[in-house]
Amino acid sequence: MINIEKIFKKKLNKNKIQFQSIKFLAGDASNRKYFKILQNGKTKVLMNNQENDTSIIEFIDKTKVFKELDIIVPKIFGSFPEQGFLIIEDFGDEKYSKIINKNNQEQLYKNAIDTLIHLHKKKIKQNFENYTKTKFYKESVLFFEWYLPLIPKKFTVEHLKKFKDILYELLTLPMNLPNTYIHRDYHVDNLFLFKNKKKTYQKCGWIDYQDALIGTCVYDLMSLLEDARRDSNNKINIKMIQYYLENFRNIDNELFIKSFRIIAVQRHMKVLGIFARLYKRDKKNEYIIHMPRVLNMLKKNLEFEELRKLRDFLLEFLY
């Protein structure tokens, strides 16, 4: 990453930004890259995306919204959207994916769910885009376009039409649940522990929320508990779902659990498509290791009666 670091040294110098050092920190499934920079003896994070990429603007706008809602999000110290980068607060080393284990996972999940509970009790005031059936469908098509050719399996336009009809019918259930703000990528790589915060809902800090939307309240909880990067534990999942529902007596439990399974199937199909695309198009091989886990979670959710029609449709592709 030496060449990349040199490129960003030039960027910083060009913008007359003083710094003592810069070090590559991480990349992710998108084009974003993260660097740690040292300024006046304090570490900060340089978040870079492509120049003129709208996600930088989205990150700035949604940071303001979530901060007003009392969510722990990074402070923005420097904003250069036209050049595709921001200088933001360094949340440190207590990232969930680095610290989570069998002994602390329930408490970490509860902290993350407390944040969702706090957020989901807020009235929606901001004009975020809605998570529509069309958006869900377009995401799911990635499964057909990228994952199936990898197996390989063939599909037709007729397959897509039939899948769309089935999915739209299924999505009626989760869309009958209350609408909330959705992080949209709520998993262990995007959450940080702040154990010294007094308020329980502030013990979990967020990053990578630029794609946030408004939609069904089950979405982020499902993303957390059925994470592509971690083996799912059914006993813990049931416990955490109940923990969430205890705070929302107005939500029908059966509807919520059925909706959880439906959203899980949709997201797992989407993730399989994204991981296949990262491997095939972007030459990012590190995501292949997670695909068997995601496939297994997809199949487990398809076993339930409410998903029988979709399971029967997917028989020729998955079994």
Side-chain angles (χ1 to χ4, degrees):
M1 288 299 163
I2 295 172
N3 291 335
I4 292 179
E5 288 171 4
K6 282 183 177 179
I7 290 168
F8 281 92
K9 280 183 181 180
K10 287 181 180 178
K11 270 195 175 188
L12 293 172
N13 288 326
K14 184 180 177 182
N15 287 277
K16 298 180 180 178
I17 298 169
Q18 294 185 343
F19 65 100
Q20 286 76 58
S21 65
I22 181 169
K23 185 180 180 182
F24 179 72
L25 182 62
D28 63 16
S30 70
N31 291 317
R32 281 182 295 280
K33 291 180 176 62
Y34 297 87
F35 301 80
K36 279 207 177 188
I37 65 170
L38 189 66
Q39 288 184 316
N40 300 320
K42 292 184 178 180
T43 59
K44 296 173 184 175
V45 171
L46 188 152
M47 183 180 86
N48 177 74
N49 211 332
Q50 294 176 352
E51 292 183 9
N52 300 315
D53 190 299
T54 57
S55 68
I56 292 287
I57 301 296
E58 291 290 329
F59 185 87
I60 295 168
D61 291 344
K62 287 167 184 176
T63 296
K64 292 176 185 174
V65 172
F66 288 131
K67 189 175 182 181
E68 288 174 3
L69 291 164
D70 219 15
I71 303 296
I72 299 298
V73 290
K75 294 173 186 174
I76 298 174
F77 298 115
S79 175
F80 305 88
E82 289 182 2
Q83 296 179 58
F85 74 93
L86 300 172
I87 297 174
I88 63 175
E89 182 180 0
D90 180 9
F91 272 178
D93 297 321
E94 296 283 278
K95 185 188 279 192
Y96 268 39
S97 56
K98 289 184 178 180
I99 64 172
I100 196 165
N101 57 50
K102 289 182 180 179
N103 295 323
N104 67 12
Q105 62 182 342
E106 281 195 40
Q107 188 55 55
L108 288 178
Y109 281 155
K110 280 187 176 181
N111 291 342
I113 294 168
D114 283 338
T115 309
L116 293 180
I117 291 166
H118 165 78
L119 185 64
H120 294 182
K121 288 185 176 182
K122 298 285 187 180
K123 289 184 178 179
I124 297 171
K125 294 180 181 179
Q126 297 298 325
N127 191 27
F128 286 16
E129 280 189 65
N130 290 315
Y131 217 151
T132 61
K133 289 183 178 181
T134 302
K135 281 187 183 295
F136 278 118
Y137 169 71
K138 286 181 178 177
E139 291 177 349
S140 306
V141 169
L142 295 171
F143 170 85
F144 295 92
E145 292 178 339
W146 291 97
Y147 176 72
L148 290 188
L150 204 63
I151 302 180
K153 297 273 186 176
K154 292 182 179 179
F155 68 97
T156 65
V157 173
E158 290 305 313
H159 281 121
L160 287 181
K161 286 180 181 176
K162 188 172 181 181
F163 170 73
K164 185 176 183 180
D165 289 341
I166 296 170
L167 182 67
Y168 272 45
E169 183 182 347
L170 284 171
L171 287 172
T172 302
L173 287 180
M175 287 185 167
N176 278 330
L177 291 169
N179 271 354
T180 61
Y181 296 99
I182 298 175
H183 179 295
R184 204 179 177 186
D185 213 9
Y186 206 65
H187 60 72
V188 293
D189 271 345
N190 290 333
L191 305 175
F192 286 76
L193 175 64
F194 285 82
K195 53 190 167 191
N196 294 326
K197 294 286 185 182
K198 290 182 180 179
K199 296 174 182 177
T200 55
Y201 67 84
Q202 288 191 327
K203 290 182 182 291
C204 178
W206 290 13
I207 63 168
D208 207 19
Y209 43 76
Q210 59 281 335
D211 295 324
L213 296 171
I214 288 169
T216 177
C217 64
V218 75
Y219 193 92
D220 281 342
L221 182 63
M222 189 290 304
S223 302
L224 177 71
L225 298 178
E226 294 206 3
D227 186 345
R229 296 150 187 81
R230 302 194 76 245
D231 292 332
S232 181
N233 183 312
N234 192 50
K235 286 184 180 179
I236 291 176
N237 284 5
I238 291 169
K239 196 173 180 179
M240 295 300 106
I241 290 169
Q242 287 307 124
Y243 179 73
Y244 175 87
L245 287 172
E246 283 167 8
N247 292 273
F248 296 96
R249 300 295 182 183
N250 60 314
I251 293 178
D252 182 280
N253 287 18
E254 186 179 351
L255 173 62
F256 190 88
I257 291 166
K258 285 181 178 179
S259 299
F260 185 102
R261 295 167 185 155
I262 291 165
I263 293 298
V265 165
Q266 186 277 335
R267 183 169 171 87
H268 296 327
M269 291 180 72
K270 165 191 169 181
V271 169
L272 284 170
I274 289 172
F275 285 0
R277 183 175 65 187
L278 286 166
Y279 168 70
K280 190 74 175 175
R281 186 191 70 185
D282 303 332
K283 311 303 178 188
K284 294 184 178 181
N285 299 340
E286 62 268 31
Y287 293 93
I288 283 224
I289 192 172
H290 302 304
M291 290 174 73
R293 179 186 297 113
V294 179
L295 183 61
N296 186 46
M297 289 190 292
L298 171 61
K299 289 180 177 179
K300 281 187 175 180
N301 281 288
L302 284 169
E303 290 172 4
F304 292 94
E305 181 58 28
E306 58 267 22
L307 285 145
R308 178 180 52 82
K309 192 182 289 188
L310 183 57
R311 181 180 68 245
D312 290 347
F313 168 77
L314 290 174
L315 277 175
E316 64 181 289
F317 302 117
L318 293 178
Y319 300 90

